[in-house]
Amino acid sequence: MTATPEVDTNPSYEGTATILNPATGAVAGTVRWTDPADVTRIATGLRQAQRSWEARGAAGRAKVLARYAVWLGEHRDEIEALLIKETGKSAVDAAQEVPLLLMILSYYVRTMEKALAPEPRSASLPFLSIKKVTVHYRPRPVVGIIAPWNYPVANALMDAIGALAAGCAVLLKPSERTPLTAEVLMRGWIDSGAPEVLALAQGARAVSEAVIDVSDYIQFTGSSATGAKVAERAARRLVPVSLELGGKDPMLVLEDADVDLAAHAAVWGAFFNAGQTCVSVERVYVLEQVYDQFVDAVVRDVRKLKVGAGEGNAFGALIDESQVAVTERHVADALAKGAKALTGGSRTAGPGSFYPPTVLVDVDHSMLCMTEETFGPTLPIMKVRSVAEAVRLANDSPYGLSAAVFSKDLERANDVALQLDCGGVNINDVISNLMCTTAPMGGWKSSGIGARFGGPEGLRKYCRIETVVAPRTTVGAGGNYYNNSQRALKTMNTMMTKLALIRPKRMAK
């Protein structure tokens, strides 16, 4: 769920700051910024608390996380009300975040003990069977999470949950644009009786840099440009990173697709959360046989949408004026190069950082709306002559986060999906891979490194692997230590070579 780069201007670290609702300009709340010099002290406290947190074992940590899940469920209304005030979201969009977290929490509470259990490995050769080989998953002490603004609740905790479950302590740096909901999440952690292994560092770039400098692992969600800077800084200390970065997700509509379903999906996938979602549908390639029918259905659906924050609206405001400016620039560029706006196309009059849902046709890859991440409410639709052309254009991008393929022939759709260069593909649906908690979610190319939450990978990524090799018997112990006998050495090498080649020789026949 990627967001654009954080602003370069750092807040003042003295006193509190006022956060405004982007939909109304009203005060949403206040926050006290963290002095970057204090981040080391915070990390030291987390590092000390992490030892006992790890010692609880997976079963003990699961009980704590279960209590936190209950707290989140009981305080959902409070969290969503603050989300709307802080981000200008519609009530529909705000209602998606806590349930996603509860799904992730429920999955890990049920599976974390098995996923993190020591894993026995068999011997590779018969004569090594005298050894007992066990792989252990040991948590990294402090995980730094730098979260974006577009989903202040989900994007902060979906990563923190995995790290905490793995036995790590978490130092969370929310976006300086949306710091308020993180304070509520922190209060819930404390109120649910959890230990002090979760802490906040509030601020912008200077605080992010401090978090990178004191953490043992970094999870960053944001733009590709900022992600590169995060990785570069972490590399100074050889600290591993997981990056979920920008996306320009394509949707392919084949000639045998259910056109109405595809149109509904495209509209929701493009305009959910005002298009401020990393896996938004940002470009659509439609086979010419169904192009006109698809465009008509999309326009029909878009004209039913109501823009505004809170209850009764389809989607709310963009996060701020800088995000509106990106959308305006991409639309203006497309129109100047020959595209047509069938809906929207210019900013909504009135207060707040709103932009109407904009459907663009007659588009091509010379236009920014087809090549750069917009992260706003645009839906460019391009006519193509063949599936091969659609695949080629879909892959003609530096991004590779996710995609969608629509066809009534599921086997054919699956074949097309496996030709797309991205981390996840939805068939006859959009965005649903985010709800598949059993599978990791991550991007290819400039869309990221590694995977985020999901599956045992979402826990093990926060661990160091420790292999313990122990003897099963004392027979033969030390028999090959500096054996000076040339005959013994030749015999051992011959035996090892023959044993190692048994399976390759069988497979080669």
Side-chain angles (χ1 to χ4, degrees):
M1 298 184 177
T2 318
T4 51
E6 294 185 82
V7 293
D8 288 335
T9 303
N10 286 312
S12 170
Y13 296 108
E14 297 179 2
T16 59
T18 300
I19 306 300
L20 302 180
N21 183 331
T24 64
V27 173
T30 59
V31 63
R32 180 173 293 279
W33 299 122
T34 303
D35 188 325
D38 287 340
V39 173
T40 298
R41 175 187 55 79
I42 297 170
T44 298
L46 288 172
R47 204 174 296 278
Q48 293 172 349
Q50 184 271 336
R51 296 169 187 161
S52 59
W53 179 238
E54 178 182 1
R56 288 180 183 233
R61 296 192 297 272
K63 292 181 180 180
V64 176
L65 292 171
R67 292 199 300 268
Y68 190 41
V70 172
W71 187 94
L72 289 171
E74 292 175 344
H75 291 78
R76 180 180 173 184
D77 291 345
E78 175 190 356
I79 295 169
E80 290 175 2
L82 181 56
L83 263 178
I84 293 170
K85 289 174 62 178
E86 186 172 38
T87 65
K89 289 176 184 275
S90 69
V92 172
D93 290 344
Q96 309 299 315
E97 299 202 36
V98 172
L100 177 59
L101 290 180
L102 295 179
M103 288 172 59
I104 297 170
L105 274 162
S106 177
Y107 170 71
Y108 280 135
V109 165
R110 297 193 318 270
T111 63
M112 56 191 280
E113 190 170 4
K114 180 180 179 181
L116 296 169
E119 184 179 332
R121 299 288 177 91
S122 59
S124 58
L125 294 172
F127 74 90
L128 287 175
S129 60
I130 61 172
K131 299 294 186 182
K132 179 182 179 182
V133 182
T134 309
V135 174
H136 297 263
Y137 297 97
R138 299 283 307 282
R140 299 180 187 275
V142 176
V143 170
I145 294 176
I146 303 174
W149 47 261
N150 56 328
Y151 293 92
V153 173
N155 264 326
L157 281 187
M158 68 169 60
D159 299 311
I161 289 167
L164 291 166
C168 312
V170 170
L171 179 53
L172 172 62
K173 207 296 290 183
S175 171
E176 68 279 10
R177 290 166 168 165
T178 54
L180 302 178
T181 42
E183 300 281 349
V184 176
L185 299 178
M186 186 70 228
R187 171 167 60 85
W189 181 256
I190 296 170
D191 288 352
S192 61
E196 296 180 357
V197 288
L198 174 64
L200 295 182
Q202 296 278 25
R205 185 176 60 189
V207 175
S208 294
E209 291 172 347
V211 169
I212 296 169
D213 291 344
V214 299
S215 299
D216 305 299
Y217 187 98
I218 298 296
Q219 168 65 53
F220 172 78
T221 305
S223 73
S224 299
T226 306
K229 294 177 183 178
V230 169
E232 181 181 350
R233 191 174 187 97
R236 299 175 190 176
R237 298 172 43 242
L238 297 180
V239 169
V241 298
S242 176
L243 308 174
E244 202 254 281
L245 307 176
K248 191 68 182 175
D249 287 10
M251 174 175 167
L252 283 63
V253 181
L254 308 192
E255 79 282 356
D256 63 344
D258 181 330
V259 174
D260 279 338
L261 173 64
H264 293 326
V267 171
W268 186 76
F271 301 127
F272 174 69
N273 203 43
Q276 299 172 121
T277 304
C278 63
V279 290
S280 291
V281 175
E282 289 228 358
R283 50 195 172 116
V284 185
Y285 303 98
V286 186
L287 269 292
E288 57 186 356
Q289 296 95 319
V290 293
Y291 176 82
D292 291 337
Q293 182 185 354
F294 177 82
V295 170
D296 289 345
V298 164
V299 171
R300 175 199 65 205
D301 284 0
V302 170
R303 286 178 174 157
K304 298 176 183 178
L305 301 180
K306 185 177 179 182
V307 179
E311 292 287 346
N313 298 297
F315 70 84
L318 278 73
I319 192 64
D320 59 21
E321 290 300 313
S322 67
Q323 203 56 41
V324 174
V326 174
T327 303
E328 288 184 315
R329 178 167 62 87
H330 284 193
V331 172
D333 172 79
L335 297 178
K337 293 175 179 175
K340 297 185 181 70
L342 301 185
T343 66
S346 60
R347 183 170 183 172
T348 305
S353 53
F354 291 97
Y355 197 94
T358 298
V359 177
L360 297 168
V361 295
D362 297 338
V363 295
D364 58 46
H365 276 220
S366 71
M367 303 173 186
L368 299 177
C369 69
M370 294 294 285
T371 58
E372 291 186 4
E373 184 177 32
T374 306
F375 223 68
T378 63
L379 181 57
I381 307 172
M382 183 173 177
K383 182 191 297 184
V384 294
R385 294 184 298 274
S386 66
V387 174
E389 183 184 10
V391 170
R392 177 179 61 80
L393 291 168
N395 288 337
D396 182 22
S397 172
Y399 299 109
L401 194 53
S402 64
V405 179
F406 280 75
S407 169
K408 292 178 182 176
D409 185 336
L410 297 184
E411 184 175 348
R412 182 188 184 204
N414 189 73
D415 289 342
V416 173
L418 293 176
Q419 297 176 52
L420 299 175
D421 298 336
C422 59
V425 181
N426 296 292
I427 294 176
N428 292 340
D429 202 355
V430 293
I431 307 181
S432 59
N433 59 306
L434 285 177
M435 275 67 81
C436 298
T437 55
T438 59
M441 180 264 185
W444 294 9
K445 300 188 281 189
S446 295
S447 289
I449 296 174
R452 294 189 70 180
F453 69 93
E457 296 91 343
L459 301 178
R460 294 174 181 173
K461 63 181 276 187
Y462 296 115
C463 297
R464 297 165 292 187
I465 296 176
E466 182 175 0
T467 300
V468 176
V469 181
R472 296 183 185 275
T473 176
T474 59
V475 176
N480 62 335
Y481 294 166
Y482 292 104
N483 193 326
N484 292 322
S485 167
Q486 290 297 316
R487 181 178 179 183
L489 180 61
K490 183 178 179 180
T491 300
M492 181 181 69
N493 285 340
T494 300
M495 179 184 67
M496 290 179 64
T497 301
K498 287 182 177 179
L499 288 171
L501 283 173
I502 289 174
R503 186 174 296 276
K505 285 181 176 179
R506 289 175 180 171
M507 294 180 66
K509 290 181 180 179

